[in-house]
Amino acid sequence: MPLVCLTDFEAHAREQLSKSTWDFIEGGADDCLTRDDNIAAFKKIRLRPRYLKDVSKVDMRTTIQGEEISTPICIAPMGFHCLAWPDGEMSTARGYTEEDPDNLIKHFRTPLPSNLSCVLCFAAAQAAGICYITSTYASCSLEDIVATAPGGLRWFQLYVHPNRQLNKQLIQKVESLGFKALVITVDAPKIGNRRHNITNQVNLMKNLLLKDLGSPEKGNLMPYLQMSPIDSSICWDDLSWFQSITRLPIILKGILTKEDAELAVKHNVHGIIVSNHGGRQLDEVPASIDALTEVVAAVKGKIEVYLDGGVRTGNDVLKALALGAKCVFLGRPILWGLAYKGEHGVEEVLNILKNEFHTSMTLT
């Protein structure tokens, strides 16, 4: 049977993955009320379609931080993609880029042998279709992810480390690798109470990273950062330090209230991702879609606002945009796609959602 919607991929992943892996991916904090409400809240919103409009041409393109994307459906930062598929984030990177063979021609002055041309088209001419936010807790190196999809639009998500110098080194590294924005997660000064992980005795840091553990002195910065605590002391005044060491636009991920949205504008950040961490941090906070309107109203168009959490259909994408989001970021469904068929599964998930969104736009 073909998989025709995102919940089909969810059911397939549940069958394929081990219980502990499934619980880690799907688990929320405490009673999982916010995790479940993220999805349910979308279903309470009704659309008001208008007809007798010319919808023969539907343009799904938009821009985020000045970069054009083919559709307002992007990939949220999630750690440990190798739990779902052996190649992990490298497969995710392959799945979100689009080949653009014509784009390669201008780079060469003489004709290439047909076989070499095909290889180069695949490897070097990938246009940024959408944006992929790579997590601090990626299970592949940043260099490998970039090399896999050199043409992809990437932002980097940062869990702030207590050691400022380590943060600076990592930010300089992602800048040099061509990442286009720095996404600072603000809703995780402490990891939420995820009961499934406690029950299953999940210790991903130890199991996945100790074999590759290094230190800054050895030049192996990433595993050292991943094994270390998140800085629980970071506050608004610290943003000026980040702004002093990077020219990348700074996006704050995890904002849910108008008060924090107003402070974000005051502190000159470039964007907000309305997010409750997929219901994995503080339970019983609003669903992302319910918090969106408040945040959008507070920023008054001064900065871009995005959303993650609970997006499962093209209608969901449309609702988020109608309520003021510039684009949405997709989380768990990307991992379901990986578990199904690696990069091809990611591509299928994204294509299904794009096609549904196209239909939603046309029929509204």
Side-chain angles (χ1 to χ4, degrees):
M1 293 288 289
L3 306 187
V4 299
C5 61
L6 268 56
T7 51
D8 285 350
F9 286 85
E10 179 183 18
H12 184 275
R14 186 166 196 162
E15 291 178 1
Q16 291 293 114
L17 299 172
S18 69
K19 183 181 184 302
S20 61
T21 296
W22 177 255
D23 287 348
F24 172 75
I25 291 172
E26 292 302 306
D30 295 314
D31 293 319
C32 299
L33 295 174
T34 295
R35 179 200 66 182
D36 296 341
D37 199 28
N38 273 344
I39 298 170
F42 271 106
K43 307 313 170 193
K44 296 174 184 176
I45 300 169
R46 292 293 174 262
L47 301 171
R48 298 182 69 247
R50 300 291 307 279
Y51 295 118
L52 292 176
K53 305 281 187 177
D54 181 357
V55 291
S56 56
K57 295 180 181 177
V58 176
D59 187 356
M60 298 190 295
R61 291 174 299 173
T62 189
T63 60
I64 52 173
Q65 299 302 319
E67 299 272 354
E68 184 176 290
I69 52 176
S70 63
T71 188
I73 303 165
C74 300
I75 301 178
M78 297 164 287
F80 309 116
H81 289 203
C82 67
L83 288 173
W85 192 259
D87 281 351
E89 287 80 4
M90 290 190 291
S91 287
T92 304
R94 295 185 195 107
Y96 90 104
T97 51
E98 298 176 349
E99 294 173 40
D100 182 12
D102 295 335
N103 192 44
L104 190 68
I105 303 302
K106 64 178 181 286
H107 295 294
F108 296 94
R109 296 180 180 177
T110 57
L112 293 168
S114 58
N115 59 339
L116 178 57
S117 179
C118 289
V119 171
L120 287 169
C121 284
F122 176 76
Q126 291 162 315
I130 60 172
C131 177
Y132 164 34
I133 307 179
T134 305
S135 171
T136 296
Y137 292 155
S139 46
C140 300
S141 73
L142 296 178
E143 291 87 349
D144 285 345
I145 295 168
V146 171
T148 297
L153 174 60
R154 289 173 300 275
W155 294 356
F156 180 76
Q157 175 269 333
L158 177 70
Y159 284 114
V160 178
H161 189 277
N163 184 320
R164 286 284 176 92
Q165 188 59 30
L166 290 179
N167 291 315
K168 184 176 181 180
Q169 288 179 44
L170 182 54
I171 291 167
Q172 290 172 339
K173 180 177 184 177
V174 300
E175 278 188 315
S176 70
L177 288 171
F179 286 78
K180 298 297 186 182
L182 180 66
V183 178
I184 300 177
T185 293
V186 300
D187 61 2
K190 178 183 180 181
I191 298 301
N193 187 38
R194 303 172 192 175
R195 296 173 184 169
H196 285 113
N197 290 354
I198 298 168
T199 301
N200 294 328
Q201 297 183 318
V202 172
N203 189 342
L204 288 168
M205 303 299 186
K206 181 178 179 181
N207 294 343
L208 291 176
L209 297 169
L210 272 182
K211 66 179 184 295
D212 192 34
L213 180 59
S215 67
E217 291 75 22
K218 296 178 182 177
N220 201 357
L221 176 65
M222 205 56 157
Y224 182 83
L225 266 169
Q226 290 170 327
M227 294 291 290
S228 303
I230 299 169
D231 187 356
S232 59
S233 72
I234 185 173
C235 59
W236 289 102
D237 289 341
D238 293 312
L239 292 177
S240 60
W241 179 80
F242 287 99
Q243 290 161 338
S244 74
I245 64 165
T246 183
R247 285 183 268 181
L248 295 177
I250 292 177
I251 318 293
L252 299 185
K253 178 181 181 293
I255 301 295
L256 291 171
T257 63
K258 68 180 181 66
E259 292 87 354
D260 279 349
E262 289 167 352
L263 283 167
V265 172
K266 180 180 177 181
H267 286 83
N268 300 311
V269 304
H270 290 78
I272 287 170
I273 302 178
V274 174
S275 171
N276 51 44
H277 218 105
R280 297 163 76 82
Q281 279 300 102
L282 180 62
D283 202 14
E284 301 179 39
V285 299
S288 296
I289 192 66
D290 287 341
L292 177 63
T293 306
E294 177 179 328
V295 172
V296 168
V299 305
K300 299 176 180 176
K302 294 175 182 175
I303 59 176
E304 293 182 353
V305 177
Y306 320 108
L307 173 139
D308 73 25
V311 174
R312 298 292 182 269
T313 67
N315 276 0
D316 294 343
V317 179
L318 181 65
K319 292 170 184 177
L321 267 62
L323 292 173
K326 197 78 161 89
C327 80
V328 302
F329 287 91
L330 203 59
R332 292 180 178 95
I334 295 297
L335 298 180
W336 304 339
L338 269 181
Y340 173 60
K341 212 188 294 182
E343 65 216 61
H344 303 294
V346 171
E347 187 178 8
E348 284 189 38
V349 163
L350 290 170
N351 283 338
I352 286 172
L353 202 56
K354 287 177 186 178
N355 289 333
E356 288 182 354
F357 176 56
H358 188 284
T359 300
S360 300
M361 285 182 67
T362 305
L363 295 181
T364 344

